[in-house]
């Protein structure tokens, strides 16, 4: 691509022609406004204007996706959709994620000439990799810290999400560590609540982790939720690291991409990026962002792990969309910058089959809350069943067949396979 420009591709729906819609977007997000103004010369527009690179017509609908679009004179009642690729001069905003977002997203989702708009892809020049170093650990570093190779990193989530006293949480961590799990994380709902301040939680959890590690020889990776204001995150990161912690978690939509990048400047452990609130940006098929585009910005800003939902999950997202998200996270970017996709939501041993069949990759973190913790024979059996599910998937063995010689997998199928 042209290293002096940023390419952004949008799915556009409009009561106008796609050409008119593209021209309006390009003008609004660069040199133009609703009417010509003094100083908007041809030379200025040539140097600073966004440029239409490509338009691909896709289809026609009889109803608009979004309310509020303006109807042009003589409108035929049809709404045209297509892919529009624009390029923006890098010198308009420089290699700055916050200012890039103002250019490629900005006000354009509110334009009356559009009845639908969704960013589907983003191509960034090398200048962004020079400004943003990307994940410090990623897939390779996370595997090294957990000492897990040739299979997914398997783990769970603290449940109940809210309400556990520090001594109850400590007991849970001892149990899951003894069960051999690779990873456990705070829920996104629980960061630094007044009833259980993070300082108290870190002390309780790390005591449990170290005690279990002395007994088993394995130190579980625990992602402490440090989501908060900028300076609060820095203090809490230091708290975790000083206590011997090996991972921190942030809700990316809460702290923003700039907050994530700031954390990455000083982070000494992997950053587990949770995407809660993502649905409000993507659930409408003709509005917001495709995760394949957004995750590039998350990787630039330093997320070592990125949540992508799970196949056959409790959420609305299609399996095809989840697979695209997984593949996007592990696709090369600047020759590196690989973030580990985190597969979660209603997961159990059986979901390994579809996940591997669709992705052909074990470079995922596969998290199961109830799928491990609520296994009929306990967390250790739940963890074992997850490993067995992936063994069956990778080796092309039917789950029911593999379960005949593996009781923990059989019990998992009996419980979770019914739903």
């Amino acid at each position: 691509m042209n290293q002096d420009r940023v390419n952004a591709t949008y799915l556009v729906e409009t009561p106008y022609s796609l050409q008119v819609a593209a021209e309006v977007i390009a003008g609004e997000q660069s040199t133009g406004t609703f009417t010509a103004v003094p100083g908007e010369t041809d030379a200025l527009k040539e140097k600073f204007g966004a440029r239409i690179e490509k338009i691909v017509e896709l289809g026609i609908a009889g109803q608009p996706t979004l309310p509020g679009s303006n109807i042009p004179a003589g409108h035929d009642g049809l709404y045209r959709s297509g892919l529009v690729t624009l390029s923006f001069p890098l010198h308009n905003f420089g290699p700055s994620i916050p200012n890039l977002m103002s250019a490629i997203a900005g006000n354009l989702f509110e334009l009356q000439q559009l009845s639908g708009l969704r960013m589907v892809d983003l191509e960034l020049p090398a200048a962004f990799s020079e400004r943003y170093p990307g994940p410090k650990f990623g897939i390779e570093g996370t595997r090294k810290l957990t000492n897990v190779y040739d299979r997914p990193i398997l783990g769970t989530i603290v449940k109940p999400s809210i309400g556990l006293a520090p001594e109850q949480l400590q007991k849970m961590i001892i149990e899951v560590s003894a069960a051999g799990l690779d990873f456990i994380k705070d829920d996104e709902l629980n960061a630094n609540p007044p009833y259980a301040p993070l300082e108290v939680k870190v002390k309780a959890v790390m005591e449990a982790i170290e005690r279990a590690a002395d007994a088993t020889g394995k130190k579980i990776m625990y992602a402490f939720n440090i989501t908060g204001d900028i300076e609060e995150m820095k203090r809490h990161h230091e708290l975790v690291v000083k206590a011997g912690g090996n991972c921190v978690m942030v809700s990316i939509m809460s702290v923003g991409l700039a907050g994530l990048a700031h954390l990455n400047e000083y982070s000494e452990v992997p950053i587990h990026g949770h995407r809660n609130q993502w649905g409000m940006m993507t659930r409408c098929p003709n509005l917001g962002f495709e995760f394949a585009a957004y995750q590039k910005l998350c990787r630039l800003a330093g997320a070592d792990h990125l949540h992508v939902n799970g196949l056959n999950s409790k959420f609305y997202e299609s399996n095809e969309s989840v697979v695209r998200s997984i593949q996007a996270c592990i696709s090369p970017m600047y020759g590196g910058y690989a973030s580990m996709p985190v597969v979660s939501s209603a997961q159990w041993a059986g979901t390994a089959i579809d996940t591997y069949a669709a992705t052909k990759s074990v470079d995922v973190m596969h998290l199961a809350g109830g799928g491990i913790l609520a296994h009929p024979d306990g967390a250790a059996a739940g963890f074992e069943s997850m490993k067995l599910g992936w063994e069956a998937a990778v080796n092309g063995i039917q789950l029911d067949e593999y379960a005949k010689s593996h009781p923990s997998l059989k019990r998992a199928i009996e419980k979770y396979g019914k739903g």
Side-chain angles (χ1 to χ4, degrees):
M1 65 169 293
N2 186 332
Q3 294 300 308
D4 296 324
R5 304 185 75 86
V6 167
N7 282 5
T9 300
Y10 306 91
L11 174 62
V12 173
E13 181 188 276
T14 178
Y16 293 77
S17 71
L18 288 170
Q19 179 67 33
V20 167
E23 290 172 356
V24 170
I25 296 171
E28 176 69 24
Q29 296 307 118
S30 58
T31 61
T33 183
F34 74 98
T35 187
V37 297
E40 189 185 359
T41 64
D42 289 342
L44 183 141
K45 288 190 287 187
E46 176 65 24
K47 184 174 181 179
F48 297 98
R51 190 166 67 207
I52 301 169
E53 300 290 351
K54 189 176 182 181
I55 296 176
V56 178
E57 296 182 4
L58 293 179
I60 296 175
Q63 296 290 331
T65 299
L66 304 176
S69 58
N70 184 44
I71 305 300
H75 185 234
D76 57 8
L78 300 177
Y79 294 81
R80 289 152 181 84
S81 64
L83 293 174
V84 171
T85 299
L86 303 180
S87 69
F88 300 82
L90 179 62
H91 57 237
N92 281 13
F93 39 79
S96 162
I97 291 177
N99 291 302
L100 169 72
M101 289 293 288
S102 294
I104 63 173
N107 294 326
L108 60 86
F109 292 92
E110 303 171 55
L111 291 172
Q112 291 184 0
Q113 290 86 351
L114 308 176
S115 57
L117 186 74
R118 185 178 182 87
M119 174 161 298
V120 297
D121 201 6
L122 186 61
E123 294 180 73
L124 301 170
F128 278 88
S129 67
E130 296 163 6
R131 165 63 179 83
Y132 296 96
K136 291 178 179 174
F137 295 86
I139 295 172
E140 184 179 344
T142 301
R143 287 199 176 282
K144 185 176 180 179
L145 284 171
T146 56
N147 196 30
V148 175
Y149 299 93
D150 303 321
R151 67 165 174 81
I153 291 173
L154 303 175
T156 191
I157 307 100
V158 172
K159 298 292 182 182
S161 308
I162 294 286
L164 290 180
E167 58 272 16
Q168 293 173 305
L169 177 59
Q170 188 175 64
K171 182 175 182 294
M172 177 192 177
I173 301 307
I174 291 173
E175 290 173 354
V176 298
S177 295
L181 273 70
D182 309 319
F183 178 92
I184 186 169
K185 64 179 266 318
D186 283 336
D187 192 88
E188 67 274 12
L189 299 175
N190 194 333
N192 183 36
Y195 78 89
L198 185 68
E199 185 174 2
V200 175
K201 178 167 62 177
V202 168
K203 184 176 185 297
V205 168
M206 291 310 302
E207 284 179 359
I209 288 175
E210 298 298 349
R211 191 187 315 170
D214 288 341
T216 66
K218 178 178 180 177
K219 182 176 180 177
I220 194 170
M221 176 175 280
Y222 190 106
F224 288 97
N225 186 357
I226 64 168
T227 302
D229 294 327
I230 296 297
E231 290 304 317
E232 182 185 15
M233 282 197 298
K234 188 169 186 177
R235 291 195 306 271
H236 287 166
H237 167 271
E238 292 172 356
L239 174 67
V240 170
V241 171
K242 285 181 180 178
N246 52 12
C247 190
V248 294
M249 169 182 143
V250 290
S251 297
I252 297 174
M253 299 285 287
S254 295
V255 304
L257 292 165
L260 174 60
H262 186 267
L263 171 61
N264 194 42
E265 287 182 0
Y266 56 80
S267 64
E268 299 179 37
V269 294
I271 300 172
H272 189 86
H274 202 292
R275 71 176 197 180
N276 61 84
Q277 307 162 58
W278 175 246
M280 67 183 179
M281 286 185 66
T282 194
R283 187 165 186 173
C284 176
N286 274 358
L287 181 66
F289 277 70
E290 280 282 326
F291 190 69
Y294 188 76
Q295 59 85 32
K296 292 181 179 180
L297 300 175
C298 297
R299 286 158 73 180
L300 267 177
D304 296 287
H305 314 152
L306 277 171
H307 278 245
V308 296
N309 276 342
L311 276 71
N312 308 317
S313 79
K314 64 184 179 184
F315 296 126
Y316 82 93
E317 190 174 7
S318 70
N319 284 354
E320 292 76 17
S321 177
V322 174
V323 170
R324 288 197 301 271
S325 296
I326 293 172
Q327 292 171 335
C329 288
I330 60 180
S331 296
M333 183 178 175
Y334 301 128
Y337 285 67
S339 294
M340 177 164 277
V342 181
V343 178
S344 65
S345 174
Q347 300 298 288
W348 66 287
T351 53
I353 303 296
D354 289 340
T355 303
Y356 184 75
T359 64
K360 291 295 185 287
S361 176
V362 296
D363 279 334
V364 300
M365 182 178 284
H366 199 184
L367 304 186
I372 287 179
L373 300 177
H375 188 282
D377 298 325
F383 176 54
E384 182 185 37
S385 73
M386 292 287 288
K387 288 194 291 184
L388 293 169
W390 276 95
E391 285 178 16
V394 171
N395 290 294
I397 304 172
Q398 292 292 322
L399 198 67
D400 288 338
E401 184 65 27
Y402 209 48
K404 290 178 181 178
S405 56
H406 296 94
S408 66
L409 185 55
K410 181 179 179 181
R411 294 274 278 165
I413 294 172
E414 290 171 353
K415 177 163 184 173
Y416 307 111
K418 296 176 182 177

